[in-house]
Amino acid sequence: MLNRTIEPGISIPESINIIKPATQTLENGIELNVINAGEEEVLKLELIFPTRVSDPGSYIVASATHSLIDAGIPGKDAHTIAESFDYFGAHLQTEITPDHKHIILYCISKYLPDTLPLLLQIIKEADYPQTEIDNYITRMKQTLVVNREKVSWLARVNFNSSIYGNKSPYGYIPDESFYKLIERDSLLQNREESYSWSNCIVILSGRMPDNVISFVKDNLAAINISNTIGSNVKPDVEETPGKAKFRIEKKDAVQCGIRVGRKLFNKHHHDFQGLTVVNTILGGYFGSRLMSNIREDKGYTYGIGSAIIPNKDSGAFFITSEVGAQVVEPALKEIYFELQRLCDEQVPEEELNLVKNYMTGVFQRSIDGPFALADRYKGLRLWELEYDYLDRYLNLIREIDPGTIQKLAATYLHPDMMNEVVAG
Amino acid sequence: MIHFEQFTLSNGLRVFVNNDRTTPLVAMNVLYMVGARDEDPSQTGFAHLFEHLMFGGSVNIPSYDEPLQRAGGENNAFTNNDFTNYYLTLPAQNIETAFWLESDRMLNLAFSERSLEVQRNVVVEEFRQRYLNQPYGDVWLHLRPLAYKVHPYKWPTIGKEIAHIEDAVLDDVKQFFKRFYHPTNAILSLSGNIDVDTARKLCEKWFEPIAAGEKVLHELPQEPIQTERRELTLHKDVPYDSIYKVWHCGARSDKNFYATDLLTDILSSGKSSRLFNELIRKQKLFTSVSAYLLGDLDKSVVVAEGRVVKGIDIKLAEAALDAEIRKISSEKVTARELTKVKQKVESGLAFGDMNIANKALNLCYYEMLGDANLLNQQKDLYSKVDAGEILSTASDIFKDQNSSVMYYLSNLN
């Protein structure tokens, strides 16, 4: 008779094998990284440029320049360009942060020669037709007004503002007046100055024949680097942002958005990796303390979690949730209770072991498949880290003990260090 | 092409295995053929609430999540109108933990008042977060009963109203489990680093001892053919007017599903699509617009929706949308447009096959449709569609008497 009360044995891998990219720097300075892996003949091509902005205004202009990169070139309008990618089943995506601009092409590998030349051409020749700019501004304004109706959005932007300052591209609160800055001339100028090919990092991942890789290499190598590299601009960040509580009113909201957190550091800090373990225990997985207490025990929310988000020069830690409007105070009380508990008490061995196994599993999933491998590499490359960083990380997960966890929590995550934003 | 093997246990549980040696992981998927359409009209939202209770511990295992996380695994679940799906991925060497956990909760749950009370609260907060506290969040709470008068698709998965969730009692939970959660009403699949012999041994060990259960007959009231246009106008505290139009169309297994899906792609898939190009880019009437097919197991609907630019009369915007609908119902699409949407589908299928959890889900899903082999036939079924079939399908669907229109107007202007 099968005894169903006995858990099957488990094991956690001692070492994990990671596929690394083949990296080469082309003569014109472009860095090409290739991860040829996986089964399906599909690929992802990501081009990454530095954003180089110091303030919200220049970030708004850079964002528009980047979003409208496919809005027209001489002789081809936005529709023609979109159709050229859609026809081959390719998908073009743009993303921007105050640190980096990403242009990502998803494509069936055999069609890359049909789509790449146009992709490179639009970056060089985007000419920003006024009609497309007008549409963009209309869309952005309407999106902003809709976002203001969302308590989660209000909590997020006001929290970012509280830690980075309203003059920072990380912390500004969007406002209609910003969109006046989006003029065709400034977009043209921004495109000219800010897509510096010699600082471009390219990550090509997926399963592809050699001729596709050579095609990418040849096309990138043929780019004539004419624009000069701008000086390294640092985003403006308030040195000592005020620690405070903010209450953003939104009439008739049945839930409130909550953010509790603080400014922190990025991956270069010696305690960053250790804090990711502390964060996982607190709010980084379904069985975390915040979820167990505030969702699974109290039923105050559909979801609550915490995260550490690094950027180029600093980073943030925060707890985020949307809770019933009638239980905001009890939910906040439990949030601070859990932070305080991490500082005051050692985490039980059993809980810590579970988290260690879980994090190792997350790591394995995070390198499964070529696109995941590419993202892992990107997470190193953009902070100028090497693969030994990941060895140290896996080692730290294995070695970290309850005393260290408690010390890290008390040093960085004490309730007194937190800003608090409630919107609703 | 996804290679898979299949076998059926003596209790009727169908099992599918895709052995993918390129990954150190395995995904397990368990699909139960029960969704919101199977609910009592006075207890809507129950299938979804039940999904939450499936994580409250089973007869021999007090916590579902803890052992899984300890094994380095992760899981989730979703409920829709037709089925409820549970999936987990974990390192291949720990796969037996998945068999242990999933078989125990198929065997029996540890029904508890406490778990029910907490999950009722959690789901009520989910209702508020996703449907009530978001601008435009309650659209489908209004659109479904406009489009469906009889069929249970007239309520959304979350439920018709919060009171239905608050009123759920433990006896209903037990009955629901007995009726729907058993091997006869489930499909199991595995994708990843596991071979079929290992899978078979583990299935025999953990799942085969479970009693078969009675076959579920989904005897649902079918929606009568709509004979006149329906209209609903709502005034809401949202910043911009929006329009939603729905037309009844065929079921997922109907022959013209593929033509219907492609015609909505021609209308709105990608920035080169007709609706984006005409209504957003050229005419500047909408800030967003989309057309899609729900693809339900029973007769489904095609939806076109858009958010109107501030200051534009919604009737003017609607007229431009209607003109595009008329065009696709009266003129053949071009050869290039057709090739384009087929290549987009091909691309979407190839990208979907990269993920083990997705492959496992698809095996179960197509088996539920009638045959897991359909998974590998999708590309062909799409590629066979011609322009004539798209035209005849469009002209069948897009009839005025087959439509329902909802004007979701801003109170704030």
Side-chain angles (χ1 to χ4, degrees):
Chain A
M1 183 70 187
L2 182 60
N3 186 345
R4 289 181 179 271
T5 59
I6 299 172
E7 187 173 347
I10 54 167
S11 66
I12 296 303
E14 281 297 307
S15 68
I16 294 171
N17 185 32
I18 303 178
I19 300 173
K20 298 170 188 174
T23 300
Q24 54 185 318
T25 304
L26 308 178
E27 268 183 36
N28 54 11
I30 297 176
E31 180 188 305
L32 173 62
N33 305 279
V34 181
I35 297 175
N36 198 1
E39 292 283 281
E40 295 293 323
E41 296 273 335
V42 295
L43 62 79
K44 174 184 179 185
L45 176 72
E46 179 162 5
L47 308 175
I48 307 166
F49 300 90
T51 301
R52 293 206 168 84
V53 291
S54 60
D55 61 295
S58 58
Y59 186 47
I60 296 281
V61 170
S63 300
T65 307
H66 195 57
S67 292
L68 292 168
I69 197 82
D70 59 350
I73 54 174
K76 282 186 179 164
D77 67 4
H79 177 69
T80 309
I81 293 169
E83 205 272 344
S84 306
F85 290 114
D86 282 344
Y87 181 76
F88 292 102
H91 177 67
L92 187 65
Q93 193 177 312
T94 59
E95 288 168 13
I96 187 165
T97 70
D99 299 331
H100 295 103
K101 296 181 282 200
H102 308 252
I103 298 177
I104 306 158
L105 181 72
Y106 293 94
C107 188
I108 292 183
S109 301
K110 67 180 174 194
Y111 293 138
L112 191 76
D114 297 296
T115 49
L116 179 65
L118 180 61
L119 175 69
L120 299 179
Q121 196 184 359
I122 61 176
I123 301 170
K124 283 182 278 186
E125 297 176 20
D127 68 351
Y128 302 99
Q130 190 59 47
T131 175
E132 301 294 342
I133 296 175
D134 294 342
N135 281 346
Y136 174 79
I137 293 173
T138 304
R139 263 201 314 278
M140 293 301 288
K141 280 184 176 169
Q142 290 206 188
T143 304
L144 173 61
V145 174
V146 173
N147 280 339
R148 286 201 190 113
E149 299 294 316
K150 299 178 183 170
V151 295
S152 56
W153 185 88
L154 291 169
R156 175 162 57 86
V157 297
N158 282 284
F159 171 74
N160 286 343
S161 170
S162 82
I163 63 166
Y164 292 118
N166 204 17
K167 287 180 185 146
S168 159
Y170 300 117
Y172 73 101
I173 298 175
D175 183 272
E176 279 89 341
S177 65
F178 282 120
Y179 299 113
K180 289 192 195 108
L181 301 168
I182 303 175
E183 291 179 338
R184 183 162 180 259
D185 285 346
S186 38
L187 302 195
L188 284 166
Q189 188 188 348
N190 188 268
R191 196 258 296 144
E192 188 71 30
E193 288 171 356
S194 72
Y195 292 87
S196 57
W197 284 102
S198 55
N199 294 63
C200 181
I201 299 167
V202 180
I203 307 175
L204 176 63
S205 57
R207 173 58 65 195
M208 55 219 135
D210 288 346
N211 66 318
V212 165
I213 298 172
S214 331
F215 186 85
V216 173
K217 191 181 155 191
D218 294 347
N219 273 270
L220 291 173
I223 293 170
N224 189 6
I225 295 185
S226 54
N227 53 349
T228 51
I229 307 156
S231 59
N232 202 8
V233 179
K234 268 200 169 190
D236 190 2
V237 172
E238 275 181 32
E239 276 312 313
T240 49
K243 221 190 58 53
K245 294 186 177 191
F246 301 86
R247 175 81 207 208
I248 318 300
E249 293 292 335
K250 187 177 176 301
K251 193 163 65 83
D252 302 327
V254 294
Q255 283 189 324
C256 291
I258 291 180
R259 280 222 177 192
V260 170
R262 59 164 301 188
K263 189 160 153 237
L264 212 61
F265 34 70
N266 69 13
K267 300 181 187 186
H268 288 291
H269 191 281
H270 60 274
D271 281 331
F272 183 87
Q273 293 187 336
L275 268 174
T276 63
V277 182
V278 185
N279 176 65
T280 305
I281 294 168
L282 176 69
Y285 72 118
F286 191 86
S288 70
R289 291 180 171 194
L290 289 171
M291 276 293 268
S292 302
N293 179 347
I294 294 166
R295 171 176 144 142
E296 292 297 305
D297 187 56
K298 308 289 190 310
Y300 291 158
T301 181
Y302 176 49
I304 181 162
S306 64
I308 303 174
I309 305 293
N311 57 47
K312 204 167 186 335
D313 299 300
S314 60
F317 159 82
F318 58 86
I319 294 163
T320 176
S321 186
E322 284 158 71
V323 306
Q326 73 288 359
V327 291
V328 172
E329 288 313 317
L332 283 169
K333 194 175 141 236
E334 295 303 328
I335 286 172
Y336 290 118
F337 169 79
E338 291 300 345
L339 285 169
Q340 189 71 49
R341 186 154 75 100
L342 274 176
C343 302
D344 291 351
E345 296 171 21
Q346 294 207 347
V347 51
E349 284 286 353
E350 201 192 330
E351 182 184 358
L352 181 57
N353 283 336
L354 183 150
V355 166
K356 289 176 169 197
N357 290 2
Y358 173 76
M359 291 182 79
T360 311
V362 170
F363 186 84
Q364 276 187 293
R365 279 189 289 280
S366 79
I367 54 166
D368 190 39
F371 299 163
L373 287 163
D375 282 343
R376 263 286 158 190
Y377 173 68
K378 184 167 67 174
L380 296 172
R381 181 64 188 85
L382 295 187
W383 275 270
E384 287 162 354
L385 296 163
E386 303 289 335
Y387 275 96
D388 66 328
Y389 181 84
L390 298 182
D391 298 335
R392 290 204 303 279
Y393 177 66
L394 287 168
N395 201 40
L396 177 128
I397 291 175
R398 264 192 297 272
E399 305 282 322
I400 197 165
D401 58 44
T404 311
I405 303 269
Q406 187 185 1
K407 211 173 110 197
L408 286 169
T411 311
Y412 301 109
L413 304 182
H414 191 273
D416 290 346
M417 301 167 182
M418 301 295 155
N419 282 4
E420 172 188 307
V421 177
V422 177
Chain B
M1 180 77 185
I2 303 302
H3 295 277
F4 64 88
E5 294 183 77
Q6 66 184 86
F7 53 88
T8 304
L9 302 179
S10 60
N11 57 15
L13 181 65
R14 288 166 280 172
V15 184
F16 297 83
V17 183
N18 161 239
N19 184 4
D20 177 349
R21 289 175 203 280
T22 63
T23 168
L25 308 170
V26 177
M28 177 186 277
N29 195 86
V30 187
L31 184 154
Y32 291 94
M33 294 182 283
V34 53
R37 68 172 181 164
D38 299 301
E39 291 161 351
D40 185 317
S42 63
Q43 290 184 309
T44 65
F46 203 86
H48 169 253
L49 173 64
F50 191 89
E51 174 214 311
H52 279 248
L53 297 170
M54 281 285 278
F55 295 91
S58 53
V59 58
N60 295 299
I61 308 172
S63 159
Y64 177 90
D65 287 291
E66 266 183 47
L68 179 66
Q69 287 153 357
R70 204 177 301 120
E74 205 161 51
N75 74 287
N76 214 331
F78 64 84
T79 308
N80 62 31
N81 291 76
D82 294 325
F83 63 96
T84 311
N85 193 65
Y86 301 84
Y87 56 103
L88 52 174
T89 58
L90 64 181
Q93 74 274 17
N94 296 340
I95 187 63
E96 191 161 2
T97 301
F99 281 88
W100 174 62
L101 289 167
E102 287 301 332
S103 66
D104 203 54
R105 63 180 184 177
M106 191 184 286
L107 183 67
N108 212 351
L109 285 186
F111 302 99
S112 94
E113 286 288 354
R114 166 95 183 116
S115 168
L116 176 59
E117 189 199 326
V118 169
Q119 291 309 318
R120 268 195 309 244
N121 288 340
V122 169
V123 173
V124 167
E125 290 306 328
E126 181 180 358
F127 200 125
R128 288 178 175 154
Q129 180 173 324
R130 296 174 57 183
Y131 297 83
L132 303 183
N133 209 36
Q134 302 291 337
Y136 311 97
D138 63 350
V139 159
W140 283 95
L141 291 169
H142 299 288
L143 202 49
R144 283 189 175 274
L146 182 66
Y148 292 98
K149 296 301 168 193
V150 174
H151 191 283
Y153 288 161
K154 67 185 177 183
W155 58 80
T157 313
I158 192 73
K160 197 169 127 191
E161 51 193 294
I162 282 184
H164 284 188
I165 296 156
E166 289 171 335
D167 291 346
V169 298
L170 205 57
D171 267 351
D172 301 332
V173 175
K174 288 179 182 167
Q175 278 181 25
F176 197 87
F177 181 81
K178 188 157 179 275
R179 184 161 170 226
F180 296 111
Y181 280 74
H182 51 71
T184 310
N185 201 43
I187 304 166
L188 175 74
S189 68
L190 294 146
S191 173
N193 207 330
I194 184 167
D195 60 63
V196 69
D197 291 334
T198 310
R200 192 193 310 260
K201 277 189 200 117
L202 289 168
C203 278
E204 285 166 358
K205 177 177 175 185
W206 293 104
F207 282 98
E208 201 151 47
I210 302 171
E214 268 180 52
K215 189 169 168 55
V216 177
L217 300 173
H218 302 273
E219 286 163 338
L220 303 171
Q222 290 306 304
E223 188 68 18
I225 290 174
Q226 187 178 342
T227 52
E228 57 182 4
R229 182 179 187 273
R230 296 173 193 152
E231 195 178 301
L232 174 68
T233 303
L234 299 172
H235 297 271
K236 294 276 182 175
D237 289 340
V238 292
Y240 306 107
D241 297 345
S242 286
I243 185 166
Y244 301 85
K245 302 191 95 158
V246 287
W247 298 264
H248 292 280
C249 67
R252 178 62 181 83
S253 295
D254 285 1
K255 197 171 70 48
N256 63 6
F257 167 82
Y258 300 95
T260 313
D261 199 26
L262 288 178
L263 87 83
T264 62
D265 285 352
I266 288 169
L267 287 173
S268 92
S269 172
K271 285 202 225 169
S272 71
S273 64
R274 290 184 177 190
L275 297 187
F276 187 91
N277 190 43
E278 277 298 323
L279 307 183
I280 296 178
R281 233 192 113 239
K282 282 192 183 158
Q283 299 184 39
K284 301 178 187 287
L285 300 171
F286 289 89
T287 52
S288 67
V289 64
S290 64
Y292 52 95
L293 160 66
L294 291 190
D296 304 293
L297 293 185
D298 290 324
K299 288 203 173 301
S300 190
V301 287
V302 168
V303 186
E305 60 176 73
R307 190 159 303 156
V308 179
V309 169
K310 187 175 180 159
I312 298 286
D313 180 357
I314 195 163
K315 295 283 183 186
L316 184 74
E318 182 185 13
L321 174 62
D322 287 344
E324 286 304 317
I325 297 292
R326 264 197 310 279
K327 189 177 168 202
I328 204 165
S329 316
S330 58
E331 294 169 29
K332 274 191 182 176
V333 300
T334 65
R336 189 167 164 99
E337 270 181 309
L338 188 55
T339 306
K340 177 185 79 172
V341 290
K342 286 179 181 176
Q343 298 200 136
K344 277 184 91 83
V345 166
E346 183 191 346
S347 184
L349 291 169
F351 277 93
D353 286 349
M354 293 187 74
N355 179 300
I356 51 171
N358 206 33
K359 284 192 287 185
L361 165 61
N362 280 336
L363 285 167
C364 288
Y365 175 76
Y366 286 106
E367 177 63 16
M368 174 181 66
L369 288 187
D371 182 0
N373 286 299
L374 282 167
L375 170 58
N376 288 321
Q377 295 163 11
Q378 291 304 297
K379 194 179 141 188
D380 281 349
L381 288 165
Y382 278 102
S383 75
K384 278 185 192 142
V385 175
D386 63 28
E389 200 182 343
I390 291 193
L391 179 61
S392 64
T393 303
S395 63
D396 274 354
I397 293 170
F398 294 131
K399 289 186 177 127
D400 212 35
Q401 74 265 26
N402 188 34
S403 71
S404 301
V405 187
M406 185 165 89
Y407 302 102
Y408 195 103
L409 304 180
S410 167
N411 262 338
L412 307 176
N413 290 325

